[in-house]
Amino acid sequence: MQSTADTAPAATIAFRDVLSDDGTRLRAWTNDPDHRIEGPTVLLCNGLGTSAFAWPALLDPACGVRVVSWNHRGTGGSDRPARDEACGVDELVQDALSVMDHFGLDRVVVMGWSIGVNTMFQLAVDHPERVQGLFAVAGVPGDTFSSMLGPLRLPRPAARAVTVNLSRVVRLAGRAITPVTTRLPIGERAIAVLSHSGFMFPVADPQLAAAAVKAFLATPIDWYFHMALTTSLHRRVSLSGVDVPCVLVAGRWDVLAGARHIATAAERLPDASYVELPGSHFVQMEHPAEVHRLLLDLLARVSDDQVA
């Protein structure tokens, strides 16, 4: 079967098989298979069911950052777990540790997007000895569904009720919808339409964005929303024990992770900065240079702290 990497724009991405602690085979990846990037290594906890192509700045050979990450259970070539329920945030943390161990990483800066922000904060709480810093993009540390529909300014319980119930409906209809979504023609024209929908705004690299959307739609809809509902059980993370440098980046008009909820999370952290950009949930695709500069600034600060 032809992989997404075969049909996507040229980029240096290499895949490896990694076994998580419960025996689930994961498809891990790196942007630096030949160890040519001179710079620090970060662990990326990606958005649910998303791929490397959602990070255009990290696919530039001159990005100065070596990235290791993985595709979530049942997506992008990773196996589904033996138990369908084993795809929540606890399992995502387990997978993150397995990927770190596979690549020989003892302690790194961890970055996350969307549900990956839940994952990285839970990782930092459960295993603080493995985390040097945290870089959060368009996500909150737990109770994600209550932060959705942010621009509507709904109360958290109402936002959670609406989005969880909608997800249940879509999950039930997923088997009927999947044959349609997997055959949708996704190219730059489709991205142009999507980027003027209000859900996403114009992106810096439409070709990579098309590859990202196409890879996302390869996941069966019912499985995706099963994973989403399982992760929705993850409640807010207590941040009192997180004492590493943090940067939290929000999209001002993000409907999947409200900017005000991200700002509130930053206020609960002792060493955090909050940055709001004029974008959506896909802010790292819309403003890749700005987001990448913020990442490099954090990495430089962590490095300086280590030397000091």
Side-chain angles (χ1 to χ4, degrees), residues 66-88:
R66 180 175 184 246
V67 179
V68 299
S69 188
W70 75 100
N71 294 333
H72 293 125
R73 298 172 175 222
T75 76
S78 294
D79 289 344
R80 292 190 185 186
R83 296 183 303 107
D84 283 352
E85 297 77 16
C87 59

Side-chain angles (χ1 to χ4, degrees), residues 79-164:
D79 289 344
R80 292 190 185 186
R83 296 183 303 107
D84 283 352
E85 297 77 16
C87 59
V89 171
D90 287 343
E91 286 77 20
L92 294 178
V93 170
Q94 178 187 112
D95 295 346
L97 291 169
S98 297
V99 171
M100 287 182 67
D101 291 343
H102 177 86
F103 283 96
L105 305 175
D106 294 326
R107 193 164 185 251
V108 294
V109 169
V110 184
M111 59 189 297
W113 173 40
S114 194
I115 197 63
V117 175
N118 296 47
T119 306
M120 74 175 202
F121 273 107
Q122 193 64 59
L123 174 63
V125 169
D126 294 346
H127 302 276
E129 75 284 356
R130 307 297 296 267
V131 177
Q132 293 177 314
L134 295 169
F135 187 78
V137 178
V140 292
D143 201 15
T144 296
F145 277 59
S146 69
S147 73
M148 294 183 180
L149 307 178
L152 300 181
R153 305 193 71 83
L154 294 176
R156 293 182 73 106
R160 178 178 174 81
V162 169
T163 53
V164 166

Side-chain angles (χ1 to χ4, degrees), residues 109-271:
V109 169
V110 184
M111 59 189 297
W113 173 40
S114 194
I115 197 63
V117 175
N118 296 47
T119 306
M120 74 175 202
F121 273 107
Q122 193 64 59
L123 174 63
V125 169
D126 294 346
H127 302 276
E129 75 284 356
R130 307 297 296 267
V131 177
Q132 293 177 314
L134 295 169
F135 187 78
V137 178
V140 292
D143 201 15
T144 296
F145 277 59
S146 69
S147 73
M148 294 183 180
L149 307 178
L152 300 181
R153 305 193 71 83
L154 294 176
R156 293 182 73 106
R160 178 178 174 81
V162 169
T163 53
V164 166
N165 286 320
L166 179 60
S167 295
R168 287 172 177 160
V169 170
V170 179
R171 180 185 61 180
L172 291 173
R175 291 189 179 182
I177 298 172
T178 295
V180 177
T181 56
T182 53
R183 291 176 172 81
L184 288 174
I186 303 298
E188 294 187 31
R189 182 174 298 179
I191 295 301
V193 172
L194 185 60
S195 65
H196 289 84
S197 65
F199 182 67
M200 175 189 285
F201 295 107
V203 296
D205 190 326
Q207 189 179 16
L208 270 181
V213 172
K214 190 171 183 179
F216 175 78
L217 292 177
T219 299
I221 296 296
D222 54 328
W223 178 251
Y224 175 83
F225 279 94
H226 168 74
M227 289 192 298
L229 287 166
T230 304
T231 61
S232 76
L233 302 175
H234 184 243
R235 295 302 185 179
R236 292 178 74 178
V237 176
S238 174
L239 301 179
S240 58
V242 178
D243 60 359
V244 295
C246 304
V247 175
L248 290 83
V249 182
R252 188 169 302 149
W253 299 290
D254 188 342
V255 298
L256 297 182
R260 75 180 190 278
H261 301 295
I262 299 173
T264 299
E267 293 170 357
R268 292 160 53 205
L269 290 159
D271 188 4

